[in-house]
Amino acid sequence: MTKRLVILVSGRGSNLQSILAACRSGQIPDTQVVAVISNRPSARALELAMAAGIPALTVDHRDYGTRTDFDAALQKQIDEYAPDIVALAGFMRQLTPAFVQHYEGKLLNVHPSLLPAFPGLHTHAQALRQGVCWHGASVHFVTAELDAGPVIIQAAVAVLPADDERSLAMRVLDAEHRIYPQALAWLVSGRVTYAAGRAQWREPPQTAMREAIAPSLESSP
Ligand code: GRF
């Protein structure tokens, strides 16, 4: 049966675009994006969703006094679309444990670092400040602790001597666009599931990681 995917956004929507393309091409099999929901009415991602003929809605966090109230309203809106999977794609709000619990095992996020390095904001600046050789992106199951849920897939990006935040962010974003559809495809097909606080694999994770990292290494100078 076709899986129902709801995507939560806050801004530009480039990850949304890569997921939509992967649904169209069949890279993410048997999956329909049934709604795109933003916490910001001005998010460009909403325009992209509308252009693709997908219901595009806003639950504005500024209309709610507490995180709990906002999350409850968001949850109500999401659940009207009866999703099998909820994907955070540049959704810039921290979620309450109750919300996260409600979607346990079906809530994914993309984060612009090789977690557990650099959780939170300004990951590219942190990577440059620390002088790491490798930076990258991670897709993980969302748990109550910020950016700490089990990782499904990562892509490494070499940090180059001439990099600034912008150039590094661009290459990491490109990695995000490759790994998020892959993680969703694995979740949809049941290759990866969430149980007992861990990502559980039908095939060894090392294989999965190699698949993800290889293209990034090949394209590095
Ligand atoms: C991405 O880098 C994502 O990892 C971060 O915010 C950015 C969103 O980009 N949390 P977009 O809206 O998908 O273009």
Side-chain angles (χ1 to χ4, degrees):
M1 213 169 68
T2 301
K3 297 271 198 256
R4 300 172 63 81
L5 173 58
V6 167
I7 302 184
L8 304 187
V9 296
S10 296
R12 178 178 51 187
S14 68
N15 278 289
L16 167 68
Q17 270 180 307
S18 77
I19 295 168
L20 289 175
C23 289
R24 273 196 298 270
S25 73
Q27 186 198 356
I28 304 175
D30 296 328
T31 302
Q32 189 188 352
V33 178
V34 291
V36 171
I37 305 175
S38 173
N39 65 305
R40 291 204 186 108
S42 59
R44 175 174 165 264
L46 290 171
E47 292 166 30
L48 297 172
M50 280 187 282
I54 297 163
L57 306 115
T58 301
V59 181
D60 192 333
H61 62 277
R62 293 168 302 187
D63 293 341
Y64 300 88
T66 65
R67 265 184 207 284
T68 304
D69 288 348
F70 168 67
D71 281 9
L74 182 62
Q75 184 177 314
K76 189 160 174 283
Q77 185 66 83
I78 293 169
D79 287 351
E80 283 181 22
Y81 290 90
D84 299 294
I85 300 170
V86 178
L88 310 180
F91 182 71
M92 304 303 283
R93 298 285 302 171
Q94 274 188 47
L95 295 161
T96 54
F99 180 97
V100 170
Q101 176 70 34
H102 182 71
Y103 298 106
E104 187 181 84
K106 54 183 184 180
L107 185 60
L108 298 195
N109 182 42
V110 64
H111 182 75
S113 79
L114 292 173
L115 290 172
F118 314 136
L121 296 173
H122 311 301
T123 57
H124 312 305
Q126 289 188 65
L128 290 170
R129 204 177 309 124
Q130 298 260 339
V132 294
C133 299
W134 293 96
H135 187 38
S138 309
V139 178
H140 63 96
F141 286 107
V142 177
T143 56
E145 199 184 332
L146 181 70
D147 300 327
V151 167
I152 296 172
I153 184 170
Q154 294 182 306
V157 169
V159 180
L160 306 176
D163 266 330
D164 58 17
E165 256 187 85
R166 198 161 163 274
S167 63
L168 190 53
M170 272 173 60
R171 293 206 308 289
V172 170
L173 191 64
D174 184 58
E176 293 178 39
H177 296 163
R178 286 188 287 108
I179 63 174
Y180 211 172
Q182 179 65 87
L184 287 163
W186 286 336
L187 187 64
V188 163
S189 68
R191 181 170 171 184
V192 67
T193 51
Y194 175 90
R198 300 192 50 187
Q200 310 278 348
W201 292 87
R202 214 169 49 197
E203 290 169 48
Q206 286 79 2
T207 313
M209 294 302 176
R210 273 205 300 272
E211 282 172 12
I213 288 173
S216 158
L217 289 174
E218 279 160 16
S219 64
S220 300

